[in-house]
Amino acid sequence: MRLRHSLEVARRGADLLDQKLRIPRTRHEELLRVEHTARDHWHERLREAETWLRRGLLLGGEESLDAPERTRPAGLEIVWTSTMGVRHPQTASCTVPEREPEALSPANTALVQAEAAYAEAVPAAAQYAVARSAARVVGAEVLSTRQRVRALQRHWIPRLEQALARVDLALQQSEHEDAVRRRWAARALADDT
């Protein structure tokens, strides 16, 4: 009875894990698409910023990048969510601080454009980082769940089925032996009377 119960639990567990696997697998595919889109958007913003920076450097030289004042860092806020118990980042809100009014302006217009382009590239990079992290976390859960399903289907369930078959065979043999003993005992009683 214990083996039958263990086998039933293993089969039910494999079925439930297989059903659970469908939702994260679909979500993972969706997150991979979002990741690719965010990566392309970030690379596009970065290429544009680097182009403006090169132009600015050609116009003003490397000295044009010297900035005596410190700027405030960008702010980042991440919103988290959960998919089938797997916690992962959902979105990022990134704020790039504006230049202080009393701060020196860049040496030329190309560097002003570069500054604006980098201000757009930073939030795009944050969105890409969130999308990539979410895809990796959910992908790891898909892989882990898939491995558990395979372990149950390929190892545990066959082992339990073999053990149950051995026990059933032993029980049948024992019942057969008992039946033979009962017939012998019945014959012995019939012969004595």
Side-chain angles (χ1 to χ4, degrees):
M1 292 302 286
R2 183 181 58 82
L3 278 174
R4 288 184 198 283
H5 177 70
S6 295
L7 181 59
E8 183 58 34
V9 167
R11 285 180 178 153
R12 209 169 346 139
D15 288 343
L16 287 173
L17 282 174
D18 195 40
Q19 289 173 7
K20 178 194 176 211
L21 186 59
R22 290 183 193 128
I23 295 170
R25 187 182 308 145
T26 303
R27 180 72 175 137
H28 183 241
E29 291 168 1
E30 179 183 312
L31 288 171
L32 285 174
R33 284 190 297 275
V34 169
E35 176 189 358
H36 293 301
T37 302
R39 183 193 61 215
D40 293 344
H41 180 68
W42 173 52
H43 284 171
E44 192 176 300
R45 298 284 76 79
L46 188 59
R47 272 191 301 276
E48 181 182 339
E50 288 173 345
T51 299
W52 281 112
L53 179 62
R54 278 192 295 277
R55 288 176 185 164
L57 288 173
L58 287 173
L59 290 173
E62 285 188 32
E63 300 82 33
S64 62
L65 287 182
D66 294 338
E69 72 279 339
R70 304 277 295 166
T71 58
R72 291 176 292 148
L76 178 66
E77 186 176 320
I78 298 175
V79 176
W80 294 82
T81 190
S82 181
T83 301
M84 293 296 292
V86 180
R87 191 168 186 265
H88 59 86
Q90 182 178 19
T91 59
S93 174
C94 186
T95 56
V96 178
E98 295 284 327
R99 181 196 322 223
E100 297 292 331
E102 62 273 358
L104 294 175
S105 296
N108 56 56
T109 308
L111 289 178
V112 171
Q113 291 294 335
E115 181 181 54
Y118 276 114
E120 290 178 11
V122 170
Q127 287 299 331
Y128 171 59
V130 163
R132 183 173 182 186
S133 177
R136 284 185 174 189
V137 169
V138 173
E141 181 63 22
V142 166
L143 181 62
S144 173
T145 303
R146 190 179 302 143
Q147 288 172 342
R148 286 185 294 219
V149 169
R150 284 183 187 154
L152 282 170
Q153 291 174 339
R154 293 182 181 175
H155 300 289
W156 285 103
I157 292 174
R159 285 181 190 165
L160 289 170
E161 287 172 340
Q162 289 172 355
L164 185 59
R166 285 193 302 269
V167 168
D168 281 345
L169 185 62
L171 282 174
Q172 287 175 2
Q173 185 175 356
S174 177
E175 287 174 0
H176 178 68
E177 290 171 358
D178 285 345
V180 168
R181 281 191 210 110
R182 280 194 300 268
R183 282 195 304 263
W184 284 350
R187 279 190 211 146
L189 282 175
D191 289 344
D192 285 343
T193 56

